[in-house]
């Protein structure tokens, strides 16, 4: 295998793994945006919360990485459910602009609390020995952690699809979204269905935040800093489309990684150029509803 | 009768005036501090404040009879306009006699006009760009420049047999200083630069850049990234990608500061860095400094380049106040610190009379586990390094 082909292969694997992580941190927003029509700009703040919960479960409670990951996800879900029952009630009734303002405000508050509790230092979640290092296949090598993150994201993607399309809960949720009054009439408890969906969305972002801390390190401003990444994945994929987010995450991850190597002069702008191109050709996003 | 009262009044008034004159000697001297007290870089502000407060506590807030009053203002990030405005308000409205601060180069440059027009000495605590001190005769730097630490780093690496190196820097002003410093010094030492990689600010995924380094097959990487997510991310990614196992040694400067080491984790072990300070220096001055710092800020706290530079800046400002007897006289104040030398926690230092840059030791350090925690252990010393960019580029510096 020639050197340049090996380089291209390793870059592609990196790009796919990065793309899957992008998908993972934005999929929660896709779920809440797509099924509940809530523009939740505090979404990446929940990713940060998931990351901090996982970190603290490891540092302060001395838990194992995988247990801590579970604690982080469940903690974020519980917090999300509580906030949904209290604050987000008002967000639902607001119009689009109201939703934006309320949720970005919440993101600021969460950042301030995180700064107070965690300090401004950067943190990353220590990874167990087995996930460190690289696998070498002759001329090219891949990072073990990226493969792990890739597999996790793929499992999550499949799980969400299965949950929405193939379970009674998924059917209830789709019914509750399409016609809440009719859903109530047939005995679906719409508020509870929404709470659970919102909590799942938060849990997914929490998982994304914890898993991606190797690439996007935790800090109190995480929730605002990486909001742009989350939003462009959702926008390029098509608002609320699960498949769209997956395609957009993968495409942007690949373009970003390959662009930085082959067109270094453009560096970090490649991803924005790509988003621009996608939205010019398909204003509704890759899998948008026209 | 009237006449007697008048005499009394005159006598009383003159007494009052006399006391007023003598009281004027024991006045408040205001020092304006510009730091990053909020935002994602607020670590700098906290460390500045700690260094200043420690000095004030040890000197009971006084220089001679004069009491020092600190006025803090928040730069809030890379924000030249705001910093300029704050500096102006401090000097004009609040009547500060000295300014201290500046963390990022653009903010420091923005203060040059204010400083020049009002003749207010500014002691610069950080900013790694060498040319900054050319912008005003009232600038004195107690921090360091990227050149100061880069030159010893590359010389050390060359001495240890590095012949072919990659240079990886963040894509902004100080990064260009780093590229120039690294490549000029390395070529002079007979080395070959395999590849220069500029990484855009804000990058957190380094896979593509590390791939370029790997493809260039160097013996070593000289890196420079701004302290924070980029530097921590790069060191981590370097180890995660096992570039060290591919026989590439990582050389860095500020990137493994004690405050960031917990985030980098064990990946940092063995990284060689050059910097003008390490909390693990074993000189009596530093031992005392670290002890005092821990006593004030807790047993887990460690001083850093920022708190040391704030502390040293206070020493310097005190020297200016002594030389001017508390009066506002920028020429005299600056003249008094040119060539001034003292022993700091970072070792013996002095102010270069030509450039107003600090002359200081640069320590080659290796990241090791010290008392159960990661820290930078000094392993070699480059003594009294004179700011190399000014020395090596007299034509530019003279302009």
């Amino acid at each position: 295998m020639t050197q340049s082909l090996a380089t291209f292969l390793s870059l592609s694997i990196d790009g796919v793994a990065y793309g899957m992580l992008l998908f993972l941190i934005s999929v929660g927003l896709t779920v809440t945006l797509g099924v509940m029509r809530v523009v939740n700009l505090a979404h990446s703040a929940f990713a940060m919360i998931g990351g901090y919960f996982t970190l603290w479960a490891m540092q302060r409670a001395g838990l194992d990485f995988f247990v801590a990951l579970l604690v982080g996800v469940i903690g974020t879900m519980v917090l999300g459910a509580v906030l949904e029952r209290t604050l987000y009630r008002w967000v639902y009734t607001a119009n689009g602009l109201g939703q934006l303002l309320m949720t970005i405000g919440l993101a600021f508050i969460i950042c301030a609390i995180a700064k107070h509790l965690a300090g401004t230092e950067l943190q990353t979640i220590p990874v167990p020995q087995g996930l460190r290092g690289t696998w070498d296949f002759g001329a090219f090598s891949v990072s073990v952690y990226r493969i792990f993150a890739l597999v996790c994201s793929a499992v999550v993607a499949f799980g969400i699809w299965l949950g929405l399309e193939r379970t009674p809960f998924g059917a209830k949720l789709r019914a509750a979204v399409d016609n809440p009054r009719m859903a109530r009439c047939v005995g679906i408890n719409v508020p509870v269905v929404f709470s659970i969906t919102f909590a799942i969305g938060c849990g997914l972002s929490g998982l994304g935040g914890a898993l991606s801390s190797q690439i996007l390190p935790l800090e109190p401003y995480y929730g605002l800093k990486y909001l742009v990444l989350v939003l462009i994945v959702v926008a390029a994929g098509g608002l609320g489309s699960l498949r769209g987010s997956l395609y957009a995450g993968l495409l942007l991850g690949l373009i970003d990684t390959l662009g930085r190597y082959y067109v270094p002069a453009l560096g970090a702008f490649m991803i924005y150029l790509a988003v621009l191109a996608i939205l010019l050709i398909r204003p509704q996003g890759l899998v948008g509803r026209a | 009768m009237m006449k007697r009262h008048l005499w009394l009044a005159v006598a009383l008034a003159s007494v009052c005036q006399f006391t007023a004159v003598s009281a004027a000697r024991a006045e408040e001297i205001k020092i304006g501090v510009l730091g990053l007290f909020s935002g994602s870089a607020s670590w700098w502000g906290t460390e500045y404040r700690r260094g200043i407060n420690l000095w004030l506590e040890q000197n009971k807030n006084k220089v001679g009879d004069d009491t020092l009053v600190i006025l803090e203002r928040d730069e809030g990030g890379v924000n030249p306009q705001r910093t300029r405005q704050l500096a102006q308000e401090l000097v004009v409205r609040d009547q500060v006699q000295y300014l201290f601060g500046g963390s990022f180069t653009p903010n420091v440059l923005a203060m040059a006009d204010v400083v020049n027009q009002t003749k207010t000495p500014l002691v610069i605590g950080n900013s790694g760009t060498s040319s900054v001190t050319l912008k005003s005769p009232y600038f004195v730097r107690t921090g360091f420049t990227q050149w100061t630490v880069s030159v010893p780093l590359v010389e050390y690496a060359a001495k240890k047999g590095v012949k072919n190196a990659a240079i990886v820097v963040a894509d902004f002003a100080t990064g260009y200083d780093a590229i120039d410093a690294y490549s000029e010094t390395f070529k002079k030492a007979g080395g070959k630069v395999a590849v220069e990689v500029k990484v855009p600010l804000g990058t957190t995924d380094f896979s593509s850049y590390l791939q370029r380094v790997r493809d260039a097959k160097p013996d070593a990487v000289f890196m420079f990234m701004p302290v924070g997510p980029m530097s921590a991310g790069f060191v981590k990614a370097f180890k995660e990608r096992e570039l060290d196992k591919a026989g590439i040694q990582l050389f860095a400067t500020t990137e493994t500061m004690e405050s960031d080491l917990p985030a980098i984790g064990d990946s940092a072990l063995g990284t060689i860095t050059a910097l003008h300070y390490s909390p693990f220096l074993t000189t009596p001055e530093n031992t005392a400094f670290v002890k005092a710092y821990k006593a004030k800020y807790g047993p887990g706290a460690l001083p850093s380049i920022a708190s040391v530079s704030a502390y040293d800046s206070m020493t310097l400002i005190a020297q200016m106040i002594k030389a001017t007897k508390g009066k506002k006289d920028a020429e005299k104040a600056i003249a008094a610190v040119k060539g001034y030398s003292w022993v700091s926690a970072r070792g013996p230092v002095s102010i270069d009379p030509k450039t107003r840059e600090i002359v200081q030791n640069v320590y080659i350090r290796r990241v090791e586990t010290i008392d159960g925690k990661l820290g930078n252990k000094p392993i070699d010393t480059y003594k009294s390094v004179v700011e190399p960019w000014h020395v090596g580029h007299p034509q530019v510096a003279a302009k």
Side-chain angles (χ1 to χ4, degrees):
Chain A
M1 191 160 38
T2 60
Q3 181 62 49
S4 56
L5 185 64
T7 300
F8 180 75
L9 267 179
S10 352
L11 282 173
S12 302
I13 292 171
D14 283 341
V16 169
Y18 182 51
M20 286 306 260
L21 280 175
L22 285 181
F23 163 73
L24 199 57
I25 57 171
S26 48
V27 68
L29 182 61
T30 309
V31 168
T32 47
L33 191 71
V35 296
M36 296 161 72
R37 312 273 144 72
V38 181
V39 187
N40 184 17
L41 291 188
H43 178 77
S44 41
F46 284 106
M48 174 184 77
I49 292 173
Y52 274 122
F53 278 169
T54 308
L55 181 72
W56 288 336
M58 286 182 83
Q59 277 180 349
R60 301 187 185 174
L63 294 176
D64 176 67
F65 174 74
F66 294 101
V67 183
L69 208 57
L70 204 63
V71 170
V73 172
I74 292 170
T76 321
M77 284 177 84
V78 171
L79 189 75
V82 171
L83 284 175
E84 199 270 345
R85 284 271 139 161
T86 51
L87 287 177
Y88 278 88
R89 296 274 101 145
W90 282 295
V91 177
Y92 294 149
T93 54
N95 59 11
L97 183 64
Q99 289 188 348
L100 286 183
L101 291 176
M102 281 171 165
T103 51
I104 194 84
L106 182 65
F108 276 113
I109 294 170
I110 294 175
C111 285
I113 295 173
K115 186 186 166 195
H116 185 71
L117 291 178
T120 51
E121 301 94 70
L122 288 177
Q123 316 259 15
T124 48
I125 295 163
V127 167
Q129 201 60 48
L131 295 178
R132 291 185 196 175
T134 56
W135 281 329
D136 290 306
F137 301 100
F140 83 102
S141 60
V142 289
S143 138
V144 178
Y145 188 81
R146 293 217 175 200
I147 298 293
F148 165 73
L150 204 160
V151 171
C152 280
S153 312
V155 168
V156 167
F158 185 68
I160 298 170
W161 174 79
L162 215 59
L164 277 179
E165 302 290 331
R166 293 281 186 274
T167 64
F169 179 79
K172 278 184 190 173
L173 177 65
R174 279 178 286 140
V177 168
D178 281 339
N179 195 334
R181 276 179 66 195
M182 196 62 207
R184 264 194 210 101
C185 287
V186 297
I188 296 171
N189 191 340
V190 174
V192 168
V193 169
F194 275 15
S195 292
I196 294 174
T197 310
F198 190 82
I200 291 173
C202 289
L204 288 173
S205 70
L207 179 67
L211 284 182
S212 63
S213 85
Q214 303 299 319
I215 297 173
L216 313 174
L218 289 172
E219 53 168 322
Y221 297 89
Y222 184 108
L224 298 168
K225 207 171 185 174
Y226 303 124
L227 186 59
V228 178
L229 273 184
V230 171
L231 290 177
I232 60 177
V233 169
V234 173
L239 300 184
S241 161
L242 211 59
R243 262 190 314 137
S245 291
L246 183 63
Y247 296 161
L250 284 175
L251 191 62
L252 293 176
L254 266 174
I255 290 176
D256 197 30
T257 308
L258 294 174
R260 282 166 195 268
Y261 185 87
Y262 292 109
V263 202
L266 281 175
F269 287 105
M270 278 302 277
I271 191 166
Y272 300 106
L273 290 178
V275 172
L276 191 69
I278 290 171
L279 292 181
L280 275 177
I281 299 164
R282 293 188 65 92
Q284 300 295 325
L286 290 172
V287 192
R289 279 168 274 198
Chain B
M1 197 61 179
M2 259 320 268
K3 220 175 183 178
R4 253 172 66 191
H5 275 285
L6 193 66
W7 273 113
L8 199 64
V10 170
L12 268 175
S14 58
V15 168
C16 286
Q17 203 173 17
F18 182 70
T19 48
V21 167
S22 64
R25 270 301 299 122
E27 259 186 12
E28 283 186 347
I29 292 181
K30 290 182 187 166
I31 301 168
V33 172
L34 290 138
L36 300 159
F37 296 106
S38 68
S40 54
S42 59
W43 176 87
W44 285 98
T46 313
E47 280 293 280
Y48 274 177
R49 188 183 283 151
R50 285 181 165 190
I52 292 170
N53 287 346
L54 187 61
W55 191 94
L56 289 175
E57 188 183 85
Q58 290 176 356
N59 292 278
K60 301 188 175 58
N61 283 26
K62 277 184 184 290
V63 174
D65 289 334
D66 300 317
T67 308
L68 303 187
V69 177
I70 304 290
L71 302 180
E72 267 180 13
R73 296 291 181 269
D74 182 13
E75 297 172 285
V78 181
N79 209 338
Q81 281 305 319
R82 180 186 164 110
T83 306
R84 184 197 156 91
Q85 187 196 342
L86 289 171
Q88 195 162 359
E89 282 174 14
L90 278 169
V91 176
V92 176
R93 197 182 62 201
D94 301 314
Q95 303 279 314
V96 302
Q97 268 191 33
Y98 298 96
L99 288 169
F100 162 71
S103 312
F104 296 135
T105 302
N107 294 6
V108 175
L109 292 177
M111 287 191 270
D113 284 345
V114 176
V115 163
N116 286 337
Q117 283 162 19
T118 60
K119 299 196 172 178
T120 312
L122 167 68
V123 182
I124 306 167
N126 186 43
S127 161
T129 312
S130 299
S131 57
V132 162
T133 38
L134 299 176
K135 302 293 173 198
S136 168
Y138 308 112
F139 279 0
V140 184
R141 173 154 39 202
T142 56
F144 72 110
T145 67
Q146 195 54 37
W147 273 86
T148 310
V149 291
S150 300
V151 171
L153 181 73
V154 174
E155 283 175 357
Y156 179 82
K159 204 170 75 185
K160 291 287 168 190
V162 172
K163 297 215 162 48
N164 186 12
I167 300 176
V168 183
V169 305
D171 198 352
F172 77 122
T174 316
Y176 301 151
D177 265 30
I179 282 199
D180 291 348
Y182 285 148
S183 64
E184 271 186 35
T185 317
F186 195 50
K187 282 171 192 160
K188 216 179 278 172
K192 183 175 156 280
V193 177
V195 64
E196 285 178 5
V197 182
K198 288 182 193 137
V199 180
L201 279 181
T203 298
T204 43
D205 178 23
F206 292 97
S207 49
S208 328
Y209 304 105
L210 288 173
Q211 190 65 45
R212 287 182 66 195
V213 170
R214 196 187 262 272
D215 291 350
K217 297 193 171 62
D219 316 331
V221 167
F222 297 119
M223 74 173 287
F224 166 77
M225 302 274 159
V227 176
M230 287 187 76
S231 56
F234 187 84
V235 178
K236 270 182 83 84
F238 189 90
K239 287 292 162 73
E240 193 203 316
R241 297 273 148 165
E242 297 185 340
L243 265 70
D244 53 334
K245 288 194 189 143
I248 307 173
Q249 165 79 48
L250 182 62
F251 290 93
T253 53
T254 50
E255 287 79 4
T256 61
M257 288 206 311
E258 276 68 14
S259 58
D260 279 345
L261 278 176
I264 303 173
D266 289 347
S267 306
L269 281 172
T271 306
I272 303 282
T273 62
L275 203 62
H276 56 291
Y277 181 67
S278 160
F280 300 101
L281 287 175
T282 48
T283 60
E285 289 79 16
N286 186 52
T287 313
F289 185 75
V290 173
K291 200 176 154 203
Y293 188 91
K294 286 188 168 183
K296 194 165 164 63
Y297 303 115
L302 273 179
S304 63
I305 52 168
S307 43
V308 167
S309 108
Y311 186 93
D312 286 345
S313 299
M314 291 303 291
T315 307
L316 212 56
I317 290 174
Q319 171 66 13
M320 296 195 212
I321 293 173
K322 274 182 219 154
T324 54
K325 300 197 170 58
K327 292 198 186 66
K328 186 172 162 65
D329 185 343
E331 316 293 343
K332 213 171 175 182
I334 293 291
V337 294
K338 284 184 178 173
Y340 180 60
S341 64
W342 73 102
V343 182
S344 153
R346 56 181 124 168
V349 293
S350 67
I351 301 295
D352 186 339
K354 272 188 251 155
T355 57
R356 288 160 280 109
E357 299 276 0
I358 192 161
V359 177
Q360 56 193 336
N361 290 349
V362 171
Y363 304 96
I364 305 294
R365 312 146 351 135
R366 187 171 47 222
V367 180
E368 288 179 7
T369 310
I370 306 172
D371 304 329
K373 269 185 171 176
L374 293 173
N376 289 287
K377 191 171 184 193
I379 51 172
D380 203 348
T381 306
Y382 282 74
K383 286 205 171 110
S384 302
V385 176
V386 179
E387 210 291 315
W389 182 81
H390 287 273
V391 176
H393 303 77
Q395 311 89 337
V396 190
K399 269 180 201 163

